[in-house]
Amino acid sequence: MDSQAERRFRTIHNQLTSTAAGDQDQPSLLRRRNAAGKFFSEQGFSNALPEELKTGKWNVYRSSRSPLKLVSRFADHPDIGTLHDNFVRSVKASPDCKYLGSRVREDGTVGEYKWMTYGEAGTARSAIGSALVCHKITKGSCVGLYFINRPEWLIVDHACSAYSYISVPLYDSLGPEAVKYIASHAAIEAIFCVPETINHLLSFLSEIPSLHLIVVVGAVDGRIPSVPPSSGVEIISYSKLLSQGLSNLQPFCPPKPEAVDTICYTSGTTGTPKGAVLTHANLIANVAGMSIGITLYSSDIYISYLPLAHIYERATQVLLVYFGGASGFYQGDNLKLVDDIAVLRPTVFCSVPRLYNRLYAGIMNAVKTSGSLRERIFNSAYNAKKQAIFNGEVFLPLSRNRGKNPSPIWDRLVFNKIKARLGGRVRLMVSGASPLSPDVMDFLRICFGCQVIEGYGMTETSCLISNMDQSDILSGHVGSPSPACEIKLVDVPEMNYTSEDQPYPRGEICVRGPIVFQGYYKDEVQTQEVIDKDGWFHTGDIGAWLPGVRLKIIDRKKNIFKLAQGEYVAPEKIENVYANSKYVAQCFIHGDSLNSSLVAIVCVDPDMLKTWAINEGIKNKDVKQLCTDPRAKAAILIDMDTVGKEAQLRGFEFAKAITLVLEPFTMENDLLTPTYKIKRPQARIYFAKEIANMYAELSKSNSTPNKIL
């Protein structure tokens, strides 16, 4: 070891031992690595490092899988530096293996999945990219994708990577105003759309001067709308563009790792969309880090239905390509997703808590209404398998626990029927986008008998920030840092979160490493607001380090408001708690500085509400009538209070009044962002009358006036 590294070791060692409260027998947490000349403190699933040597504060955490060096490339294939390299490798290695599957035929009928191989996808990629070159789309130009998941989406994306174009997803659910803004802001030169979205484009065509090519996917030649030649825009079908490229193939124009791969616009809850600039190096680093903890196989089949416009699905597809797996697409209709899953029978299933919660509620409701005998059998099976899993006696796919199932009869009697809801072959479930209830996670593990992993990430970090270790069966957290980044918690004094908090350090989650984006496109001001001078990206999420140095998301720095008595409230945290109520499908918490208490708009689960009414002997009322029934409100508020107490909400964090609604919060009624976050300003306006009525009722019922005049 060189003398400089030796001095650094002694200095850090002395700082550690000096803080050991005089305990001479306490073992050192410092581990020496002679080859690297670096030091770290090993603590469970993460490793601590000092941010600055002079402070002696060990507040930076890295994955225990790679504590000395942040991952930026795949360990087995360090030559893969771009998404183009990643796809080329799989095409060469597995040209005849199935890759992209679809049930929808050209004539619109639906049948079994029909597959395109890696080799066929590679040919289509070359043709589409070549055709764009022939249409004078210049290197480095932005290409828009304005349609939902289908094989052509990924073909176009691969073409962009191969010919150094920048892909710009246009959310199908953002509406024409946001699409117009993004197309203009990114100066998009070509847009791929479908017949359902082309009319939106044509309505504001004159406001996108950079655009000169529109490609309609799934269109029939001769049925494509025309535009005046003076517009400078050509409209062509995808099939015709493909034919043009096949007859005039052009050499690849591969990008460098530092080149921009995509600009992902995030809708946000307020304001105009922000374009997160991600390079090939960003995405490769993120997926390389992901691959260390999650292993897929060429035999794996994945169901693609989460929006490809979102980084969650996008990064998952890059990981799938690296391992040579297959991706089957849903029909495009959420109501038919269950049928698509039954036909595809995927082995890997990624989703969001909202869907997992529905799955949990649906199964539990079916159990409770199946009769007392079947309910007892289910409970016996559930408890037996739960105990076996937590005792390490059950083998979960991908888990390091290699025990055997002590009661296979329970699978045959109970759980195989539940597994069939997702096709019967799922070996890995992944949850992201928002916190998943520990009860729901345990339920999924027990009933589906597979590995369930929760992760945490953002568009600005190219997707994954942290994820659970496969050997970790403790739920209620999002795991340790990805090997491709490091994490620290920064004090938020106005919310009483500090790194000195006991029993767990708390603060704003900050991330640094090769996964952090380059900034917001054409917006230096907002970029500087989230990336500090030392390269730390400030997420706006509040986290806590649990034992074993597992990260738990506990709050949100943004969207906080102050009540009349001066208490700060983070509504998203409370909404996530109330989502655990069996009656709550969605929840919007409201409060302001003129009122001393919170109120809630609750979108009820209609099946659970009906079940409650039957149990209460309430007849001759439909679900809409039940929503206005004071007895239903009282029962649901009691259940929400119970859930809140279990989650240890503080007194002022409890909703004091609720309004029950049937209409879900959706992107169509402008109450949800495409990432399923509530648009708070819009929700306040949408439910203004209901909010006013609740505060009026509280004012009458309270002896102390609720309003501060």
Side-chain angles (χ1 to χ4, degrees):
M1 178 183 291
D2 61 46
S3 58
Q4 182 180 1
E6 186 66 47
R7 288 195 301 272
R8 181 175 171 83
F9 178 86
R10 285 198 301 268
T11 301
I12 300 176
H13 184 272
N14 291 337
Q15 288 179 341
L16 279 177
T17 54
S18 67
T19 60
D23 187 353
Q24 299 299 318
D25 297 324
Q26 179 168 327
S28 173
L29 293 175
L30 194 65
R31 173 176 296 183
R32 181 192 304 229
R33 291 290 179 92
N34 292 337
K38 304 279 187 179
F39 309 94
F40 60 88
S41 168
E42 189 169 282
Q43 302 177 14
F45 294 100
S46 304
N47 299 92
L49 298 92
E51 183 176 7
E52 294 183 23
L53 182 60
K54 61 184 179 182
T55 66
K57 188 174 182 180
W58 291 59
N59 63 332
V60 177
Y61 290 88
R62 291 183 178 181
S63 169
S64 61
R65 296 177 182 273
S66 184
L68 299 178
K69 181 181 179 181
L70 295 181
V71 170
S72 60
R73 296 283 181 97
F74 294 103
D76 294 338
H77 296 278
D79 54 314
I80 297 176
T82 66
L83 299 190
H84 173 62
D85 297 337
N86 189 45
F87 185 58
V88 165
R89 172 184 163 271
S90 288
V91 170
K92 289 181 178 178
S94 312
D96 299 320
C97 292
K98 61 185 181 183
Y99 173 36
L100 303 176
S102 175
R103 298 184 67 194
V104 181
R105 304 288 183 258
E106 291 184 3
D107 60 2
T109 60
V110 177
E112 294 295 316
Y113 274 89
K114 184 178 180 181
W115 293 93
M116 175 184 287
T117 66
Y118 271 92
E120 291 168 340
T123 299
R125 170 274 322 260
S126 299
I128 293 298
S130 296
L132 291 176
V133 172
C134 294
H135 279 271
K136 309 300 182 184
I137 306 299
T138 55
K139 176 183 176 181
S141 296
C142 288
V143 175
L145 293 93
Y146 187 23
F147 55 102
I148 62 174
N149 301 31
R150 54 187 291 168
E152 292 88 348
W153 207 106
L154 290 177
I155 296 298
V156 174
D157 197 40
H158 289 313
C160 288
S161 295
Y163 290 87
S164 291
Y165 297 125
I166 299 170
S167 63
V168 181
L170 300 171
Y171 291 34
D172 181 66
S173 53
L174 281 180
E177 286 303 313
V179 170
K180 177 173 66 175
Y181 172 81
I182 295 171
S184 176
H185 187 256
I188 289 176
E189 293 192 14
I191 292 181
F192 287 76
C193 66
V194 289
E196 293 81 5
T197 57
I198 189 170
N199 288 331
H200 288 318
L201 286 178
L202 297 182
S203 67
F204 50 79
L205 194 60
S206 60
E207 300 178 58
I208 314 174
S210 59
L211 183 65
H212 58 264
L213 179 65
I214 295 176
V215 183
V216 188
V217 179
V220 178
D221 288 323
R223 297 184 183 178
I224 298 175
S226 60
V227 293
S230 59
S231 68
V233 176
E234 180 183 358
I235 303 179
I236 187 175
S237 70
Y238 177 89
S239 57
K240 187 173 182 179
L241 188 77
L242 185 71
S243 297
Q244 290 178 349
L246 287 172
S247 61
N248 195 7
L249 290 174
Q250 302 293 310
F252 291 141
C253 181
K256 294 182 178 180
E258 61 271 19
V260 176
D261 171 68
T262 186
I263 302 176
C264 288
Y265 281 81
T266 59
S267 60
T269 54
T270 60
T272 55
K274 298 177 294 185
V277 178
L278 300 174
T279 64
H280 287 267
N282 286 148
L283 288 160
I284 290 297
N286 196 293
V287 177
M290 197 186 302
S291 69
I292 292 177
I294 300 176
T295 301
L296 302 183
Y297 303 96
S298 58
S299 58
D300 273 320
I301 297 177
Y302 174 74
I303 177 76
S304 178
Y305 70 97
L306 294 174
L308 271 165
H310 298 174
I311 199 64
Y312 182 6
E313 177 73 4
R314 196 94 170 270
T316 301
Q317 291 290 346
V318 177
L319 182 70
L320 194 71
V321 166
Y322 177 72
F323 286 107
S327 181
F329 291 83
Y330 81 136
Q331 296 177 51
D333 185 345
N334 289 330
L335 297 177
K336 298 177 181 177
L337 178 60
V338 173
D339 182 50
D340 293 333
I341 291 172
V343 174
L344 184 64
R345 302 185 66 221
T347 60
V348 178
F349 186 78
C350 293
S351 194
V352 295
R354 186 179 175 192
L355 189 145
Y356 286 130
N357 290 341
R358 286 181 182 176
L359 187 64
Y360 168 78
I363 293 172
M364 291 306 297
N365 189 47
V367 169
K368 291 182 182 299
T369 57
S370 64
S372 59
L373 177 59
R374 289 185 178 180
E375 185 175 2
R376 286 200 301 272
I377 292 174
F378 174 84
N379 289 336
S380 296
Y382 188 90
N383 292 330
K385 195 165 183 180
K386 180 177 182 179
Q387 184 177 0
I389 288 175
F390 284 93
N391 288 341
E393 300 168 0
V394 170
F395 166 72
L396 294 177
L398 294 183
S399 175
R400 293 175 188 170
N401 294 330
R402 299 295 177 182
K404 295 181 179 179
N405 188 342
S407 304
I409 189 173
W410 292 129
D411 281 339
R412 291 196 297 270
L413 283 178
V414 178
F415 298 119
N416 285 348
K417 298 174 185 176
I418 295 176
K419 294 176 186 178
R421 293 196 175 205
L422 294 181
R425 296 195 303 182
V426 173
R427 66 175 188 85
L428 171 64
M429 285 182 173
V430 180
S431 181
S434 61
L436 181 66
S437 162
D439 290 340
V440 175
M441 173 169 279
D442 292 342
F443 173 87
L444 295 173
R445 282 175 171 156
I446 293 164
C447 291
F448 288 91
C450 67
Q451 190 73 23
V452 183
I453 295 175
E454 184 171 7
Y456 163 62
M458 299 180 71
T459 303
E460 289 87 345
T461 58
S462 314
C463 191
L464 190 71
I465 293 173
S466 69
N467 67 281
M468 300 174 67
D469 190 274
Q470 292 173 7
S471 65
D472 190 2
I473 59 173
L474 180 69
S475 52
H477 63 91
V478 292
S480 58
S482 160
C485 72
E486 53 191 4
I487 299 174
K488 70 173 180 176
L489 302 184
V490 174
D491 294 352
V492 186
E494 67 270 24
M495 297 180 72
N496 295 320
Y497 292 128
T498 75
S499 58
E500 305 300 326
D501 289 345
Q502 295 297 330
Y504 312 125
R506 303 183 299 178
E508 182 183 6
I509 300 168
C510 294
V511 183
R512 186 169 65 180
I515 66 173
V516 174
F517 77 138
Q518 307 305 298
Y520 295 117
Y521 190 55
K522 299 179 182 178
D523 196 338
E524 188 62 29
V525 173
Q526 291 203 69
T527 298
Q528 291 181 0
E529 288 177 0
V530 296
I531 301 180
D532 65 26
K533 61 181 178 62
D534 295 318
W536 289 99
F537 169 66
H538 293 246
T539 66
D541 291 317
I542 304 296
W545 290 118
L546 301 185
V549 198
R550 303 168 171 98
L551 184 65
K552 179 181 177 68
I553 311 300
I554 61 172
D555 212 335
R556 180 72 179 158
K557 184 178 179 182
K558 297 178 182 178
N559 296 326
I560 63 173
F561 51 76
K562 187 187 291 187
L563 293 176
Q565 67 272 39
E567 300 284 6
Y568 284 98
V569 174
E572 291 174 342
K573 178 189 78 171
I574 301 170
E575 288 159 358
N576 287 332
V577 168
Y578 284 147
N580 295 323
S581 167
K582 60 186 177 183
Y583 298 108
V584 178
Q586 293 169 292
C587 180
F588 167 59
I589 290 291
H590 173 79
D592 56 49
S593 59
L594 298 178
N595 291 284
S596 59
S597 57
L598 301 177
V599 295
I601 303 293
V602 175
C603 175
V604 293
D605 184 312
D607 293 331
M608 298 307 298
L609 188 56
K610 289 177 186 176
T611 301
W612 169 84
I614 292 171
N615 293 337
E616 293 295 316
I618 299 174
K619 301 178 181 179
N620 303 322
K621 279 196 173 186
D622 59 25
V623 181
K624 187 175 182 181
Q625 291 172 320
L626 288 173
C627 285
T628 59
D629 192 313
R631 293 170 293 180
K633 283 187 180 182
I636 292 175
L637 187 56
I638 289 172
D639 191 71
M640 290 170 62
D641 285 344
T642 301
V643 170
K645 289 173 184 175
E646 291 174 353
Q648 298 182 332
L649 291 182
R650 293 171 290 181
F652 62 86
E653 292 179 313
F654 284 82
K656 302 302 182 185
I658 61 174
T659 294
L660 307 182
V661 298
L662 279 177
E663 181 189 11
F665 311 158
T666 65
M667 288 170 276
E668 286 70 27
N669 59 21
D670 202 33
L671 295 179
L672 282 188
T673 71
T675 52
Y676 304 107
K677 293 182 175 65
I678 294 176
K679 291 186 174 181
R680 314 202 77 83
Q682 290 86 335
R684 280 195 294 271
I685 295 171
Y686 196 86
F687 295 112
K689 182 179 178 181
E690 290 82 357
I691 290 170
N693 289 340
M694 284 188 284
Y695 279 125
E697 291 174 9
L698 287 173
S699 182
K700 290 179 183 178
S701 61
N702 292 341
S703 56
T704 302
N706 192 258
K707 282 278 184 181
I708 305 297
L709 300 177

